[in-house]
Amino acid sequence: MQGPEVLLSLNSRGLLAFEHLRLHKDTQAQPDGAEVKESVDGDQQQDEGEKGEDGESDKEEVGLWEETFKSHTDTKPNGPTSISLDFSLPGVEHVYGIPEHADDLKLKTTDGGDPYRLYNLDVFQYELYNPMALYGSIPVMLAHNTQRTMGIFWLNAAETWVDISSNTTGKTVFGKMLDFVQGSSENPQTDVRWISESGIIDVFIMLGPKPSDVFSQYASLTGTQSFPPLASLGYHQCRWNYNDQEDVKSVDQGFDQHDIPYDFIWLDIEHADGKRYFTWDPHKFPQPKEMLQGLMDKKRKMVAIVDPHIRVDSGYKIHNEITSKDFYVKNKDGRNYEGWCWPGNSGYPDFTKPEMRAWWASMFAYDQYEGSMENLFTWNDMNEPSVFNGPEVTMHKDALHGKWEHRDIHNIYGLYVQMATAEGQTRRSGGVERPFVLTRAFFAGSQRYGAVWTGDNAAEWDHLKISIPMCLSLGLVGVSFCGADVGGFFKNPSTELLVRWYQTGAYQPFFRAHAHLDTTRREPWLFGPENTALIREVIRQRYALLPYWYQLLYQAHKTGMPVMRPLWVDYPKDTATFTIDDEFLIGRDLLVHPVTEEGSRGVTAYLPGAGEVWYDVHTFQKHNGAQNLYIPVTLSSIPVFQRGGSIIPRKDRVRRSSTCMENDPYTLYVALSPKKFAEGELYIDDGHSFNYDTKKEFIHRSLTFANNALTSNNLCPNCNFLTSSWIEKVLILGASKPSKVLLKMDGKETPVDFEFDTSMSVLTLRKPGMNAGADWTLLLQ
Amino acid sequence: MTCVHLLLTLVFAVSLGTPVEIQGPRGVPLTSIQFYVENKPFTCLDGSRTIPFDRVNDDYCDCKDGSDEPGTAACPNGSFHCTNAGYRTMFIPSSRINDGICDCCDTTDEYNSGAKCENTCKELGRKEREVLQKMTEITKEGFLLKQHLIEEAKKGHQEKQIKVTDMQENKKQLDEKVEVLRTVKETAEQPEKEAKERHLKAWEEQKAAIRLEKDKAKMAEAFLELDDNADGFVSVSELQSHAELDADADGTLTETEAQGLMGGAEQVDMSTFESVWPNIKDKYHSEVSREEEPAPVETPPDEVKEPVVDNDSEPYPEDDISEEEDEDDEDEDDYHEDDDKVYHTENLSKNIEKELSFDFGPDAEFTYLYSQCYELTTGEYIYRLCPFNRVSQKPKYGGSETNLGTWGSWSGPENNKYLLMKYEHGTGCWQGPNRSTTVKLTCGKETVVTSTSEPSRCEYLMEFTTPAVCQEPANTDLSPHDHVEL
């Protein structure tokens, strides 16, 4: 409640339900009173869900004590355990979140269809615009209207279903207006119902009221995005598989030959000896350190896959140790659970055990993980967990993690895998270096351990499109470091699709190209010089913007603000933004409308903000806010706009990897608002260690343009970090021509050369030259 | 000419080299040095603007073409020239200046990054000269070998042409001989006839003639059969015993009807029977019970068979025949022997004709690869390249062979298509394309497969050395310049 206004009401539809735990009637009829939880208002409603059942009835329903799916039988020794609760959101028409689904950003009502399902599954060639479960689950929903943003966090790791209904569904805009004019009828309302297969009802309500409040409220519960190494924001080149060391070397050289920057090359499952993770195929990768050293010499890095299924093989150290320490998940009979995965018969370490995770982490030590070096990082795939011969390609629900059934913890298994892996990477450096771990499965809180990608997509235009709402949904519930396989994993992309995908992926947080084993090679230079040039150009744009990306990740780490955002997050009162998911914001200041249509000749981008202006980042052309702008496009166009009122630091000297750019100077892009104002930030640290945190070794500055003066102020006076980077250039968009420009620094004033482009009103300050960490003011007179 | 030219360059470089290096701005090649004149305004090489000279290499990009910053990383499109004395000069993108990675062997690209670079130009130069020298030797020897190959191919070609002509002649003779023998054979028993029929089928061009022969034999046979009293004549009554010859289909062959068939004669001798035979042969049933016509011999389809021998023609179905030949006699042996010879000759000539149809290069220098196979054993597989035929892969430790493609075409670049071979339509991949292999040919003294890889799923790449692609070495000798280090 806020004043007389009801914000949210629980159980208003009376769908609060839970199963009384009881013993199987074969053994005892009377449930143990101590375990029974009483219904809040005493009158438990008849459950309409398929798992529901009237507790008082003696009538046995099929499936209460045993369920069969295809050839699999779930023994359900505890019988039915499901829980449910409904939430009513008066005044709300837009709800978001509950990833992972390949669906629009704005959640749809599920009346007459399947509810949104949250159950981590390895889905082969997933379908789009569908509430089916995918690889990860974050049971967090955001509700938004022009007045308020709220969140519901249903903390439950069992299989969960979410039903959404709305009293405005099907009503036309006209109908809604009519309601409004007549003052009659009902207030719009969205009703949501959560159902989980087991566990307790444990719900957090984030009350907002601003979107940023919801993000920080949720972050206070599950943590914020881990602050990744700077290099991991660069471009990643992946393929199932780079065949051998020679292949890795030639791909690496290919990037140099074609002058395309990249930071990470990835190895998929074929790199390991018989899919025994932590090992190397002796024929294909006989000298992993030599290979890693070769990459290190070019200041580049590698990621090798480590999946959580462990080959059952008495000649395999990892398997033997897990067996001897009794760390495997058990089946219902208490023997080690075994299933089929890439290596064949495999065991699944019980990552819910802290001792198991500690041991797993220790396996990443340089002396344990043979052939590893400090520039080798990790990728956890198949951690739903994927079990090829299990029900729905995952683990049997009656498998056991200690006392807990797999059904109770299923959705959090993948989180623990990534947690243990990231911990291992941190530990191998004695806690000095930041880890980088990519995961496919995730749960609420996974943001603390690394990056997430949207799994095995396909080389189709619709998959390119869906990558936007999929990552936007993840960003809203804490996971900022998100990306989709550039090019599409399955099938071969057309050249146009590949180029467009690079242009889209370069403006999404995690930027990795990946391809299936059966596809033809698609390194960026294999499609003719024109297309190589297009791809080179967009990767360079990515690298130039790395300072901005890095600063946004820092902000996400500190505050929980998503990096890649729907427009409504920054324009919460503009209803026109509420359903937009074909364009997005990067931070507050960049608006991207990727071209995701084949043969497109133009796109219509919505530029938000009445009274605001946006500048095309390529041409510096100024456009007014709160308009739908038609932009003609060619294959080289990537519609990106900088918000008037913002300052974005870039490193325009693009080199072959992000690490090579460490000491390079900055160019400040100052985009003035109509009131001739702009602000921004600059964050600098060593790019890879925890020293920013443990030793306050970073530079954090505010940049403000007001009253014809651009000033850099220290946001962290007690921080200490020295950079050799300096300010080589300042571009002021929307400026007028000054008569002179002075740099005020250390009590001295020195004139600065400048140029003014009248046609676009761009003022360029030539080589002011101050250190990026210094206090200074540039005066336009 | 070349020597003179080299010498001139040498003199030029030696006389100007060192002082120019000091005077010119960093990263400018000798050829452009005249555009950078100390203390004179510099005009961007694209002519776009003119700037004071102190803005050249001042670590700020003024020219759109990057020409004002040849020695810094300031321009996104600049390039830096390393002299690399002792090795080859080169241009690197200016983004590699002071990036902490040593790119120029003379270390000049890392003058302010703290990277510890060593000058490796001498070593690289020495190595390169070694490699070049080796390559030159290889090319030289390879080219000599190639000449032999061309010679041999020429000879071989002529021989084969003659052979083909010979064989065609030979075949004619054989064909005649076969016909003679055949006539004798026609009198033999039925199963043999069937075998013969099969042969006839295969022997398309002779079919008609043989059919005639056969017909004659049948006629003779029929005559003998009909001539019940063995008097050398077939009479009306003898013919009447064959009710199947009844013309009006009333079940009986009347005397009139029989006489009609015999052209009104009472009886006919062997030679007159020839004119009677066409009237009755369609209906005539031999008294010897006739077996079913044999099914045509099935030759397994091409795709299934993977002959190890490089021979695309269908094999002679000897097995099938021998089964039916329970009682051989001399004639039969002779007949088959010669018929075999016909086949053999035919195949041979077909093969040779096929061989002659291949594109073995401008001078037929690739001829020697025909019907050869080359193997390479890797960690897991044995790869086998049979040029102009197929590429295959076999697991080292047992398992069946996989076809990685059959001969497709030369597919090198336009200026020399003989540098790449394409083998296509190999065994299909699960959920993927048919396997194919590209064979990259490089000059070498020996003919060997040097490496294989699978860059894309089911698309193989094989490296293959052969003297056949060795180009005539340029007539230069590197040794006199060995001591020169620019």
Side-chain angles (χ1 to χ4, degrees):
Chain A
M1 299 279 289
Q2 189 179 50
E5 190 190 348
V6 176
L7 302 177
L8 176 129
S9 116
L10 272 68
N11 199 32
S12 61
R13 290 188 293 156
L15 298 176
L16 169 66
F18 52 85
E19 296 290 345
H20 293 254
L21 290 183
R22 66 202 122 165
L23 295 176
H24 198 288
K25 68 172 180 184
D26 290 352
T27 49
Q28 194 181 340
Q30 196 59 39
D32 182 348
E35 283 185 42
V36 176
K37 293 184 219 89
E38 284 303 325
S39 170
V40 176
D41 42 8
D43 58 343
Q44 186 180 325
Q45 301 289 312
Q46 181 61 43
D47 192 338
E48 56 195 34
E50 61 277 279
K51 291 192 194 65
E53 184 251 3
D54 188 342
E56 270 102 326
S57 167
D58 281 357
K59 202 172 57 183
E60 277 283 336
E61 285 179 32
V62 178
L64 287 189
W65 295 92
E66 186 173 286
E67 271 184 78
T68 306
F69 173 74
K70 292 188 178 164
S71 62
H72 303 284
T73 299
D74 178 1
T75 56
K76 297 182 76 173
N78 298 318
T81 53
S82 65
I83 55 166
S84 151
L85 180 60
D86 68 287
F87 302 83
S88 293
L89 296 153
V92 169
E93 285 182 90
H94 296 87
V95 288
Y96 308 95
I98 55 169
E100 181 175 37
H101 300 102
D103 207 346
D104 294 330
L105 174 66
K106 177 193 182 303
L107 297 172
K108 292 168 183 148
T109 58
T110 58
D111 302 325
D114 284 339
Y116 283 97
R117 187 184 186 205
L118 294 173
Y119 191 58
N120 295 357
L121 291 176
D122 177 3
V123 182
F124 178 73
Q125 298 189 344
Y126 57 76
E127 292 163 34
L128 306 185
Y129 305 107
N130 190 312
M132 71 197 252
L134 289 179
Y135 311 93
S137 303
I138 300 184
V140 177
M141 181 186 284
L142 266 55
H144 177 73
N145 61 24
T146 53
Q147 303 305 309
R148 179 181 285 271
T149 309
M150 290 189 295
I152 300 167
F153 173 25
W154 175 270
L155 178 48
N156 192 309
E159 179 177 359
T160 296
W161 301 83
V162 184
D163 254 319
I164 299 167
S165 55
S166 160
N167 63 353
T168 56
T169 312
K171 275 194 188 172
T172 60
V173 175
F174 180 71
K176 287 181 197 170
M177 275 171 66
L178 199 68
D179 285 350
F180 179 76
V181 171
Q182 291 171 343
S184 72
S185 161
E186 31 188 4
N187 190 19
Q189 177 169 319
T190 298
D191 295 309
V192 181
R193 184 196 188 183
W194 296 73
I195 307 162
S196 285
E197 189 187 351
S198 70
I200 59 167
I201 295 176
D202 189 3
V203 186
F204 299 84
I205 310 292
M206 284 85 77
L207 287 171
K210 295 200 301 288
S212 58
D213 296 325
V214 174
F215 299 134
S216 66
Q217 286 153 8
Y218 177 63
S220 72
L221 297 169
T222 65
T224 60
Q225 176 66 53
S226 65
F227 188 32
L230 173 58
S232 65
L233 291 169
Y235 173 61
H236 299 259
Q237 182 67 39
C238 187
R239 173 175 181 83
W240 175 23
N241 215 91
Y242 284 120
N243 299 327
D244 47 32
Q245 282 178 224
E246 200 49 50
D247 200 1
V248 168
K249 199 173 172 183
S250 73
V251 171
D252 178 71
Q253 283 169 350
F255 277 93
D256 286 341
Q257 272 157 24
H258 299 91
D259 201 16
I260 299 171
Y262 89 98
D263 271 83
F264 282 81
I265 186 163
W266 292 51
L267 296 180
D268 209 322
I269 50 174
E270 313 297 330
H271 86 277
D273 182 12
K275 276 91 174 177
R276 296 173 189 87
Y277 307 109
F278 300 100
T279 70
W280 303 85
D281 184 298
H283 300 295
K284 298 170 185 160
F285 296 92
Q287 305 291 342
K289 283 195 176 179
E290 197 181 292
M291 171 177 65
L292 288 165
Q293 186 61 51
L295 292 170
M296 197 182 280
D297 290 345
K298 290 201 188 159
K299 304 196 179 185
R300 285 170 179 153
K301 298 163 175 60
M302 174 172 265
V303 168
I305 200 164
V306 174
D307 286 351
H309 49 260
I310 301 300
R311 180 167 166 152
V312 173
D313 170 3
S314 59
Y316 179 26
K317 180 184 88 169
I318 299 286
H319 166 71
N320 290 341
E321 288 205 31
I322 295 173
T323 309
S324 69
K325 293 180 192 303
D326 200 22
F327 279 158
Y328 275 126
V329 174
K330 301 284 185 275
N331 66 20
K332 63 180 180 349
D333 306 321
R335 282 174 290 121
N336 284 346
Y337 179 90
E338 286 180 3
W340 279 84
C341 211
W342 296 124
N345 199 27
S346 305
Y348 292 77
D350 187 355
F351 283 91
T352 65
K353 273 191 185 144
E355 317 85 79
M356 157 60 207
R357 294 200 299 272
W359 172 83
W360 179 267
S362 73
M363 289 299 102
F364 289 88
Y366 296 122
D367 57 350
Q368 292 292 324
Y369 189 166
E370 278 176 42
S372 69
M373 281 172 56
E374 55 266 47
N375 65 339
L376 179 68
F377 296 82
T378 314
W379 165 22
N380 293 147
D381 197 357
M382 315 296 280
N383 52 338
E384 293 75 25
S386 178
V387 181
F388 291 163
N389 59 342
E392 295 190 89
V393 197
T394 192
M395 191 171 277
H396 292 74
K397 284 179 170 176
D398 55 9
L400 292 170
H401 302 257
K403 285 180 184 172
W404 293 97
E405 279 192 283
H406 184 68
R407 102 179 61 247
D408 302 314
I409 63 94
H410 175 85
N411 283 348
I412 204 172
Y413 183 85
L415 176 145
Y416 283 129
V417 175
Q418 194 191 16
M419 178 199 264
T421 305
E423 176 63 22
Q425 265 185 29
T426 307
R427 270 209 243 159
R428 69 178 183 179
S429 67
V432 173
E433 297 294 320
R434 281 177 249 164
F436 171 70
V437 181
L438 177 73
T439 183
R440 192 171 70 182
F442 51 83
F443 187 64
S446 284
Q447 67 268 18
R448 298 199 301 276
Y449 309 112
V452 160
W453 97 106
T454 62
D456 300 345
N457 60 2
E460 292 167 5
W461 287 91
D462 279 349
H463 274 267
L464 168 59
K465 274 189 206 110
I466 207 81
S467 72
I468 300 170
M470 286 180 84
C471 278
L472 286 175
S473 297
L474 276 160
L476 288 174
V477 297
V479 179
S480 266
F481 203 6
C482 169
D485 285 346
V486 169
F489 177 66
F490 291 111
K491 305 183 183 171
N492 293 308
S494 68
T495 304
E496 184 190 357
L497 175 57
L498 184 69
V499 169
R500 289 299 188 203
W501 212 315
Y502 270 100
Q503 292 173 343
T504 304
Y507 287 92
Q508 293 176 351
F510 176 58
F511 181 29
R512 181 186 74 151
H514 187 32
H516 190 277
L517 184 69
D518 289 337
T519 61
T520 47
R521 293 292 280 244
R522 55 166 96 140
E523 284 69 45
W525 50 87
L526 295 176
F527 302 88
E530 298 88 4
N531 294 301
T532 305
L534 290 171
I535 295 171
R536 177 194 298 123
E537 169 57 24
V538 70
I539 297 179
R540 284 180 165 207
Q541 287 180 23
R542 167 67 170 217
Y543 273 77
L545 279 168
L546 282 179
Y548 183 59
W549 282 104
Y550 194 50
Q551 172 202 320
L552 289 173
L553 261 299
Y554 179 72
Q555 186 192 30
H557 175 60
K558 284 292 171 189
T559 67
M561 278 301 285
V563 169
M564 177 178 166
R565 309 171 185 169
L567 270 59
W568 63 260
V569 167
D570 286 298
Y571 298 87
K573 292 189 189 307
D574 183 354
T575 52
T577 65
F578 291 2
T579 56
I580 292 178
D581 61 6
D582 57 352
E583 67 181 55
F584 53 89
L585 292 166
I586 302 168
R588 268 174 80 195
D589 302 334
L590 280 185
L591 183 141
V592 187
H593 189 113
V595 182
T596 57
E597 297 279 345
E598 184 168 18
S600 183
R601 290 160 164 263
V603 296
T604 302
Y606 178 71
L607 302 181
E612 292 191 24
V613 292
W614 293 86
Y615 297 87
D616 184 312
V617 299
H618 310 298
T619 63
F620 305 135
Q621 171 85 45
K622 188 161 74 177
H623 302 282
N624 289 323
Q627 68 153 324
N628 281 304
L629 178 69
Y630 179 79
I631 308 147
V633 299
T634 63
L635 198 51
S636 64
S637 312
I638 316 159
V640 181
F641 301 88
Q642 182 175 346
R643 187 176 61 84
S646 66
I647 300 175
I648 293 179
R650 288 201 218 165
K651 282 191 174 181
D652 282 339
R653 300 185 181 187
V654 173
R655 298 190 187 256
R656 72 184 117 197
S657 73
S658 68
T659 313
C660 291
M661 294 162 65
E662 188 185 351
N663 299 317
D664 281 339
Y666 291 89
T667 296
L668 303 180
Y669 285 77
V670 181
L672 297 183
S673 71
K675 289 177 179 163
K676 306 292 176 196
F677 174 83
E679 61 183 345
E681 290 179 15
L682 178 60
Y683 175 86
I684 308 172
D685 64 14
D686 67 13
H688 55 85
S689 78
F690 281 109
N691 293 348
Y692 76 95
D693 189 34
T694 53
K695 299 181 183 167
K696 291 216 153 227
E697 289 182 359
F698 64 91
I699 291 166
H700 194 193
R701 308 198 65 87
S702 75
L703 303 166
T704 312
F705 185 95
N707 306 318
N708 275 324
L710 175 61
T711 308
S712 170
N713 283 313
N714 199 346
L715 287 174
C716 184
N718 58 343
C719 286
N720 57 85
F721 184 74
L722 293 178
T723 178
S724 40
S725 295
W726 47 287
I727 312 294
E728 70 169 325
K729 199 194 284 191
V730 178
L731 265 78
I732 304 174
L733 316 180
S736 32
K737 187 177 182 179
S739 56
K740 65 174 173 180
V741 178
L742 292 173
L743 170 64
K744 260 175 78 174
M745 200 175 155
D746 303 325
K748 277 179 273 179
E749 288 191 2
T750 41
V752 175
D753 283 325
F754 64 88
E755 275 173 50
F756 188 73
D757 173 359
T758 330
S759 65
M760 286 293 164
S761 301
V762 178
L763 176 68
T764 305
L765 310 188
R766 186 189 188 278
K767 210 182 173 192
M770 53 283 192
N771 184 282
D775 290 327
W776 49 264
T777 299
L778 281 163
L779 294 166
L780 313 188
Q781 292 177 335
Chain B
M1 276 297 283
T2 326
C3 275
V4 173
H5 178 75
L6 267 175
L7 211 68
L8 278 176
T9 317
L10 202 72
V11 171
F12 181 68
V14 166
S15 58
L16 298 174
T18 323
V20 166
E21 275 305 297
I22 291 166
Q23 283 169 5
R26 196 194 298 271
V28 179
L30 276 175
T31 48
S32 307
I33 212 106
Q34 72 265 30
F35 302 115
Y36 298 82
V37 184
E38 190 91 27
N39 299 323
K40 290 221 174 122
F42 171 75
T43 302
C44 306
L45 296 187
D46 64 358
S48 58
R49 66 189 293 186
T50 300
I51 53 170
F53 192 79
D54 61 9
R55 292 195 174 181
V56 170
N57 276 346
D58 71 337
D59 206 12
Y60 184 91
C61 191
D62 293 286
C63 295
K64 276 190 180 137
D65 66 353
S67 58
D68 64 316
E69 298 294 318
T72 78
C75 293
N77 51 347
S79 58
F80 176 85
H81 182 262
C82 359
T83 311
N84 289 345
Y87 187 53
R88 268 180 295 146
T89 61
M90 64 194 247
F91 285 96
I92 58 166
S94 60
S95 64
R96 293 181 193 168
I97 299 168
N98 290 327
D99 67 348
I101 299 160
C102 312
D103 291 287
C104 299
C105 63
D106 64 4
T107 77
T108 49
D109 61 319
E110 296 299 315
Y111 57 88
N112 195 20
S113 69
K116 291 191 181 86
C117 301
E118 274 174 42
N119 190 322
T120 55
C121 292
K122 280 186 190 176
E123 182 60 17
L124 284 171
R126 193 181 57 76
K127 272 189 193 155
E128 191 190 45
R129 278 189 293 276
E130 272 176 25
V131 170
L132 269 174
Q133 203 159 358
K134 213 170 184 184
M135 270 310 299
T136 314
E137 271 165 37
I138 288 173
T139 312
K140 225 180 191 172
E141 286 180 52
F143 189 70
L144 276 179
L145 287 170
K146 183 180 172 179
Q147 301 312 310
H148 283 292
L149 291 175
I150 293 169
E151 275 306 303
E152 270 171 40
K154 257 186 206 156
K155 254 189 251 161
H157 189 81
Q158 284 164 358
E159 275 167 22
K160 273 163 201 155
Q161 290 281 24
I162 294 165
K163 221 173 186 180
V164 168
T165 325
D166 277 3
M167 273 188 299
Q168 275 161 354
E169 188 55 38
N170 203 356
K171 182 168 162 278
K172 246 183 227 161
Q173 289 169 8
L174 272 168
D175 282 352
E176 281 159 21
K177 196 174 168 194
V178 165
E179 272 193 44
V180 174
L181 283 163
R182 192 179 307 278
T183 323
V184 180
K185 186 185 172 288
E186 298 311 9
T187 55
E189 286 167 30
Q190 212 52 42
E192 288 159 3
K193 215 177 257 174
E194 287 155 19
K196 182 193 72 188
E197 269 173 23
R198 187 166 56 245
H199 291 217
L200 298 182
K201 249 191 188 115
W203 199 16
E204 289 289 338
E205 67 268 40
Q206 296 291 330
K207 221 172 195 169
I210 287 165
R211 220 177 253 144
L212 197 69
E213 286 298 314
K214 222 167 121 185
D215 196 43
K216 272 186 187 165
K218 258 191 203 159
M219 182 187 75
E221 204 178 317
F223 185 85
L224 290 174
E225 270 176 20
L226 286 167
D227 185 13
D228 290 337
N229 54 4
D231 61 353
F233 295 96
V234 173
S235 64
V236 170
S237 61
E238 280 168 340
L239 195 62
Q240 266 180 291
S241 66
H242 282 256
E244 75 271 16
L245 299 176
D246 175 25
D248 59 6
D250 63 357
T252 50
L253 182 65
T254 61
E255 198 180 317
T256 329
E257 282 169 337
Q259 209 166 350
L261 287 171
M262 289 177 58
E266 274 296 315
Q267 56 177 41
V268 289
D269 62 4
M270 182 70 122
S271 60
T272 330
F273 188 69
E274 262 181 58
S275 60
V276 177
W277 178 238
N279 298 335
I280 64 167
K281 68 176 177 183
D282 290 340
K283 289 181 178 173
Y284 179 76
H285 279 186
S286 167
E287 284 151 30
V288 182
S289 71
R290 194 181 274 259
E291 285 168 24
E292 288 266 303
E293 280 286 313
V297 175
E298 273 189 35
T299 34
D302 273 354
E303 318 71 272
V304 179
K305 269 190 337 133
E306 307 213 316
V308 183
V309 190
D310 18 60
N311 188 339
D312 276 342
S313 51
E314 288 168 27
Y316 187 79
E318 288 164 80
D319 290 353
D320 292 331
I321 289 173
S322 61
E323 269 170 35
E324 292 162 23
E325 289 171 10
D326 298 322
E327 308 158 31
D328 284 354
D329 58 28
E330 294 251 310
D331 288 346
E332 186 125 67
D333 272 355
D334 282 356
Y335 170 71
H336 278 294
E337 209 172 273
D338 284 335
D339 208 26
D340 278 1
K341 272 188 201 157
V342 172
Y343 268 98
H344 191 67
T345 317
E346 244 173 51
N347 285 345
L348 246 150
S349 81
K350 261 188 203 160
N351 280 348
I352 292 170
E353 275 167 38
K354 190 181 167 189
E355 188 181 336
L356 291 173
S357 75
F358 278 106
D359 178 359
F360 288 133
D363 300 308
E365 63 267 42
F366 297 101
T367 313
Y368 82 106
L369 297 173
Y370 188 74
S371 58
Q372 299 296 313
C373 290
Y374 304 90
E375 284 188 352
L376 178 73
T377 305
T378 65
E380 286 172 84
Y381 298 101
I382 299 165
Y383 290 87
R384 196 178 167 147
L385 165 67
C386 305
F388 305 103
N389 183 9
R390 63 199 294 272
V391 183
S392 61
Q393 173 203 55
K394 200 177 171 172
K396 215 155 130 188
Y397 307 105
S400 57
E401 196 182 68
T402 308
N403 181 351
L404 304 186
T406 50
W407 169 246
S409 59
W410 291 106
S411 58
E414 257 174 52
N415 59 352
N416 188 357
K417 66 171 179 170
Y418 300 102
L419 292 178
L420 290 179
M421 286 173 154
K422 188 90 192 156
Y423 293 81
E424 300 154 317
H425 311 300
T427 314
C429 271
W430 186 75
Q431 278 208 334
N434 281 28
R435 287 174 175 79
S436 64
T437 304
T438 302
V439 180
K440 206 175 137 190
L441 286 77
T442 47
C443 167
K445 281 188 278 185
E446 279 156 20
T447 306
V448 242
V449 176
T450 53
S451 78
T452 62
S453 57
E454 190 183 357
S456 263
R457 180 82 154 156
C458 306
E459 290 176 14
Y460 295 81
L461 178 69
M462 197 170 251
E463 307 231 9
F464 186 56
T465 63
T466 159
V469 293
C470 294
Q471 296 293 321
E472 183 163 14
N475 196 18
T476 48
D477 193 351
L478 281 166
S479 50
H481 303 298
D482 261 2
H483 65 283
V484 178
E485 276 145 21
L486 293 174

